Amino acid sequence: MLLSKAWTLFEADKRIEGFSPQTLKAYRLQSFLLIGYFKDIEMELLDTNQLKEYLAISGKHLKPASLAHRIRFMKSFFRWSHEEGYLSKNPTSKIKEPKVGKRIPKYLTEREIEHLRESCHSAMEKAIFEFMFSTGCRIGEIVALEKNHINWSNQSAIVRGKGDKKREVYFNTRCDIWLKRYIESRTDNNPAIFVTVRQPHKMSVAQMRYIIKRISNRA
């Protein structure tokens, strides 16, 4: 089977399993790089040494964590192909991931948090910051929030996290105030909690990341 055909089937299978759009997007990039290196050849023609050579050359300037991600994709892709009967053997079974040291968690001081809070200029920025600060949610979870996910009576929200799992998070009174002020200031009917300013529609992860970066630069 050609690499491109196997990838198409692999992606469809993982989408059915409930893999997140972000994971599939990352895997899609890795598949393009793999196919770009070997061209669209028959999978059966690839052996362990060729794949190790690909990792050594393509991963020369990658950090250990990025190289580990590439290897995880390859191992998942080729293991699946073998289990589905498209390969007689799995050429990645003996390929190991590089050791990645554990990162020390970074955190903000109380003073830094106040600087960020003061650097929020609009009701939208204040609502985003306060919700992120009080709930600890990821950006992807926040942009997916809709108005009917909020329980105002107990200051909580249902968010959808990794693996499409739902959980309840709680926000503080300051967040409650700014969320309501922001929502009341809008004139659109979009169900999303956070929308773009022009032609309001649900924010993307990149758009919200830009807003957070803008606040950070001010601070």
Side-chain angles (χ1 to χ4, degrees):
M1 178 176 287
L2 294 176
L3 280 172
S4 60
K5 178 63 176 176
W7 159 250
T8 300
L9 295 172
F10 174 80
E11 182 184 30
D13 197 52
K14 296 309 172 185
R15 182 173 283 110
I16 292 171
E17 285 184 26
F19 277 43
S20 71
Q22 290 84 0
T23 299
L24 291 174
K25 182 179 180 181
Y27 276 10
R28 191 176 302 114
L29 172 60
Q30 294 301 328
S31 72
F32 289 160
L33 293 172
L34 184 69
I35 295 171
Y37 183 87
F38 288 109
K39 310 307 178 188
D40 198 11
I41 66 172
E42 292 286 338
M43 296 186 75
E44 200 68 57
L45 298 177
L46 294 174
D47 59 29
T48 303
N49 288 333
Q50 287 174 299
L51 293 175
K52 283 184 176 180
E53 182 181 276
Y54 162 67
L55 290 169
I57 294 173
S58 68
K60 192 177 297 183
H61 303 295
L62 293 179
K63 293 181 179 179
S66 299
L67 181 59
H69 171 70
R70 181 163 298 179
I71 293 173
R72 280 195 295 274
F73 159 73
M74 287 173 54
K75 290 177 75 70
S76 177
F77 179 50
F78 283 94
R79 181 175 62 249
W80 175 88
S81 299
H82 174 57
E83 291 173 351
E84 292 294 315
Y86 304 132
L87 280 176
S88 58
K89 60 180 180 179
N90 178 6
T92 63
S93 60
K94 294 184 179 180
I95 295 178
K96 298 180 180 179
E97 294 181 31
K99 291 183 179 180
V100 180
K102 292 184 177 179
R103 292 184 298 176
I104 299 175
K106 296 179 181 179
Y107 64 92
L108 297 172
T109 65
E110 186 175 347
R111 181 178 294 274
E112 288 170 331
I113 291 168
E114 288 307 314
H115 278 308
L116 285 167
R117 183 171 278 133
E118 288 182 351
S119 298
C120 297
H121 290 174
S122 65
M124 176 188 67
E125 289 182 350
K126 291 180 184 293
I128 290 175
F129 174 79
E130 295 299 343
F131 189 86
M132 182 172 286
F133 173 66
S134 61
T135 65
C137 285
R138 302 178 181 89
I139 293 178
E141 295 171 333
I142 298 174
V143 296
L145 270 177
E146 296 189 354
K147 295 172 185 175
N148 60 3
H149 297 165
I150 302 289
N151 184 337
W152 298 106
S153 63
N154 68 347
Q155 296 180 187
S156 70
I158 301 297
V159 298
R160 194 182 299 272
K162 288 187 175 182
D164 210 31
K165 294 179 180 178
K166 293 181 180 179
R167 74 178 193 281
E168 189 172 25
V169 297
Y170 295 87
F171 49 88
N172 58 27
T173 302
R174 193 196 299 257
C175 176
D176 179 272
I177 291 170
W178 281 111
L179 271 178
K180 287 177 179 175
R181 284 183 183 176
Y182 166 61
I183 292 172
E184 289 169 0
S185 72
R186 285 166 44 186
T187 56
D188 64 276
N189 296 316
N190 196 293
I193 287 290
F194 294 106
V195 297
T196 56
V197 177
R198 296 180 181 177
Q199 299 178 341
H201 60 272
K202 182 184 290 187
M203 278 189 194
S204 67
V205 169
Q207 288 168 326
M208 183 166 288
R209 187 175 285 125
Y210 171 78
I211 292 171
I212 295 166
K213 185 69 174 178
R214 186 172 62 194
I215 297 169
S216 177
N217 287 338
R218 290 187 201 132

